[in-house]
Amino acid sequence: MKLIGLLGGMSWESTQLYYRIMNETVRKELGGNHSARILLHSVDFHDFEQLQHKGDWTGIGRRLGEAAHGLKAGGADFLVIATNTMHKVHDEIARISGLDVLHIADPTGEALRRKGHRRVALLGTRYTMEHDFYRNRLRDHFGLSVMTPDDDHRLEVHRIIYQELCHGVIREESRRLYKDVIARFEARGAEAIILGCTEITMIIGQDGEKLPIYDTTRLHAEAAVRRAMVSVR
């Protein structure tokens, strides 16, 4: 089994979901006491949040690339960045680390394409929703048309992620806001919803939703395990 390099801590609330899903998936596939081979570097998210706020994506790419290079030195075979937003600097991290990076948008795009979806809605941090790195990858690689919330709802979706979910806080009023945003997407013709932030799965799931929900955290973690297990199948 290949060694998964996991770059986490952004936030650690979602990184623990990656760890659990990866290990549960290996156990399901292999049985017994099997578990995933994972090498984790968990960063201090405070530092990177400050760099995001300043718009210093060059600094973010350099520091995450250096952290990922340490994972390569530790024997990691490939890299998983346990966050959607930081894939904005995917190419820089790959270049500095020397590791092949499993892009988080790809397993989601593949799952959406298999189901025949073309017009989808994206929830995430404002960086993921407003910058084009994520939407363009889904468009260019998978032929998807991606919509995002209006300005006011984007701000609220972002605020809930950073001020609540990253701290493990689950508020029912915040869940209702997300559900309202999803209902608005349905009215606009969305065929599916992408949970494009690894924390959103803490507050929204498929239960009770009319539109299919695509959880990037689970899809990414399971795809990493499939890649790691190629040599043992």
Side-chain angles (χ1 to χ4, degrees):
M1 190 186 307
K2 293 180 180 178
L3 179 61
I4 301 170
L6 183 60
L7 192 55
M10 301 168 282
S11 68
W12 68 261
E13 291 283 352
S14 61
T15 301
Q16 66 177 334
L17 296 177
Y18 270 87
Y19 187 79
R20 177 172 57 78
I21 293 167
M22 287 176 174
N23 281 292
E24 287 177 347
T25 304
V26 169
R27 183 173 60 190
K28 179 181 177 181
E29 292 294 322
L30 299 180
N33 288 321
H34 284 287
S35 56
R37 297 184 64 234
I38 302 169
L39 184 62
L40 169 64
H41 184 135
S42 187
V43 303
D44 182 353
F45 188 36
H46 170 83
D47 298 339
F48 291 90
E49 182 186 9
Q50 297 303 305
L51 291 172
Q52 286 178 341
H53 185 69
K54 295 175 182 177
D56 186 3
W57 294 97
T58 299
I60 289 172
R62 182 181 66 255
R63 291 181 63 172
L64 290 180
E66 290 168 354
H69 187 267
L71 291 173
K72 181 180 182 181
D77 291 298
F78 64 96
L79 183 66
V80 172
I81 309 167
T83 164
N84 285 270
T85 299
M86 297 307 190
H87 281 74
K88 180 176 174 65
V89 289
H90 164 278
D91 292 350
E92 186 71 357
I93 294 171
R95 183 186 67 80
I96 294 173
S97 69
L99 286 170
D100 187 40
V101 183
L102 178 60
H103 199 292
I104 194 170
D106 292 350
T108 301
E110 290 165 2
L112 286 160
R113 186 166 59 184
R114 281 197 303 271
K115 292 294 185 179
H117 298 306
R118 297 298 300 273
R119 185 170 171 80
V120 300
L122 174 65
L123 291 173
T125 68
R126 67 180 181 86
Y127 310 112
T128 300
M129 293 187 289
E130 294 175 0
H131 299 185
D132 60 10
F133 70 96
Y134 204 92
R135 290 179 283 111
N136 284 0
R137 191 173 185 96
L138 291 171
R139 181 197 66 196
D140 296 344
H141 290 243
F142 304 100
L144 297 170
S145 174
V146 183
M147 65 178 73
T148 58
D150 60 35
D151 291 348
D152 289 343
H153 283 107
R154 279 204 302 272
L155 290 174
E156 274 300 285
V157 167
H158 179 87
R159 181 194 65 77
I160 289 167
I161 291 168
Y162 276 79
Q163 296 183 16
E164 298 176 18
L165 302 182
C166 285
H167 299 277
V169 175
I170 309 296
R171 300 187 192 279
E172 190 56 39
E173 56 266 36
S174 297
R175 194 191 313 274
R176 286 195 296 269
L177 183 136
Y178 273 69
K179 286 180 174 290
D180 178 61
V181 172
I182 290 172
R184 290 169 183 265
F185 279 141
E186 183 181 9
R188 290 169 58 191
E191 301 166 1
I193 305 296
I194 300 171
L195 303 186
C197 172
T198 51
E199 281 82 19
I200 298 180
T201 186
M202 297 163 59
I203 198 171
I204 289 292
Q206 185 61 68
D207 292 347
E209 302 300 335
K210 295 180 181 179
L211 295 177
I213 302 293
Y214 287 77
D215 174 7
T216 58
T217 303
R218 178 166 292 279
L219 290 165
H220 198 204
E222 291 176 345
V225 169
R226 288 195 297 271
R227 179 166 179 172
M229 290 180 59
V230 168
S231 61
V232 297
R233 290 175 183 245

